[in-house]
């Protein structure tokens, strides 16, 4: 009976570690989706001269749809994009360091000239690409370490309980 309890404890800690790694991977995938959206937004504003409302209405990304981000931007008339953008950002599982550039972009979304808007988009994309690269570089090793540490923690707890 004690052995089964110990095994279940180690398994629970292992599964918790795996869930933490999956959250990190989801965060990385959503960041990639936001980067793709911003690149598309920049291209459509600059080259096609489409409005924000039209871009958000026609753009699709399953990662951003699943979180409700795009539907939040589509569901309103678009008169106040800064507040819409910030409300939609809260729906995304993004790393904390990615929020300041996105919030800065959102505060002027649809309120500045096309030239300034595309410059702000380019700056935001550049900052997010740096964050993405940093996250991606350490993701594999960090994931393995996280699972190993949680499993060892579970083993320690199981040994203390026995």
């Amino acid at each position: 009976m004690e052995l089964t309890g110990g095994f279940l404890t180690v398994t629970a800690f292992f599964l918790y570690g795996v869930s933490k790694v999956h959250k990190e991977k989801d965060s990385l995938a959503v960041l990639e989706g936001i980067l793709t959206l911003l690149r598309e937004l920049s291209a459509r504003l600059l080259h096609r001269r489409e409005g924000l409302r039209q871009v958000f209405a026609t753009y699709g990304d399953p990662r951003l749809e699943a979180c409700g981000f795009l539907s939040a931007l589509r569901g309103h008339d678009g008169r106040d994009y800064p507040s819409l953008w910030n409300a939609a950002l809260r729906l995304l599982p993004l790393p904390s360091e990615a929020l300041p550039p996105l919030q800065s972009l959102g505060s002027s979304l649809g309120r500045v000239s096309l030239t300034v808007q595309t410059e702000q988009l380019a700056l935001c994309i550049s900052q997010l690409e740096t964050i993405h690269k940093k996250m991606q570089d350490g993701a594999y090793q960090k994931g393995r370490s996280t699972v190993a540490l949680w499993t060892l923690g579970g083993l320690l707890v199981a040994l203390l309980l026995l």
Side-chain angles (χ1 to χ4, degrees):
M1 185 69 164
E2 290 176 358
L3 190 58
T4 304
F7 177 73
L8 289 175
T9 302
V10 173
T11 303
F13 274 72
F14 167 77
L15 292 175
Y16 183 76
V18 169
S19 74
K20 298 276 286 177
V21 170
H22 282 296
K23 285 181 184 177
E24 191 75 24
K25 285 182 181 180
D26 288 344
S27 179
L28 190 59
V30 167
L31 184 57
E32 289 170 1
I34 285 289
L35 276 167
T36 305
L37 168 67
L38 294 179
R39 289 183 190 114
E40 180 73 16
L41 181 62
S42 179
R44 287 171 124 184
L45 288 175
L46 188 61
H47 300 298
R48 297 183 197 163
R49 306 274 194 235
E50 292 181 25
L52 291 172
R53 187 173 184 181
Q54 185 177 3
V55 173
F56 292 136
T58 58
Y59 184 78
D61 185 319
R63 298 168 289 201
L64 301 179
E65 294 282 354
C67 300
F69 178 78
L70 288 176
S71 60
L73 293 174
R74 288 182 191 135
H76 299 281
D77 62 2
R79 293 183 187 175
D80 189 22
Y81 273 116
S83 64
L84 281 173
W85 181 264
N86 286 327
L89 280 178
R90 289 188 213 108
L91 301 171
L92 297 175
L94 288 170
S96 59
E97 60 266 15
L99 289 177
L102 288 168
Q103 290 168 339
S104 175
L105 172 68
S107 66
S108 65
L109 199 61
R111 298 195 182 246
V112 294
S113 69
L114 180 62
T115 307
V116 173
Q117 191 75 79
T118 54
E119 288 173 358
Q120 289 179 339
L121 278 165
L123 177 64
C124 184
I125 289 168
S126 173
Q127 291 172 335
L128 291 177
E129 283 174 342
T130 303
I131 293 166
H132 179 264
K133 176 141 177 58
K134 187 172 68 173
M135 282 181 67
Q136 197 173 28
D137 287 345
Y140 178 72
Q141 186 59 38
K142 184 179 177 184
R144 287 182 49 155
S145 298
T146 300
V147 171
L149 285 174
W150 278 100
T151 304
L152 289 173
L155 186 60
L156 178 64
V157 169
L159 289 173
L160 290 173
L161 292 175
L162 294 178

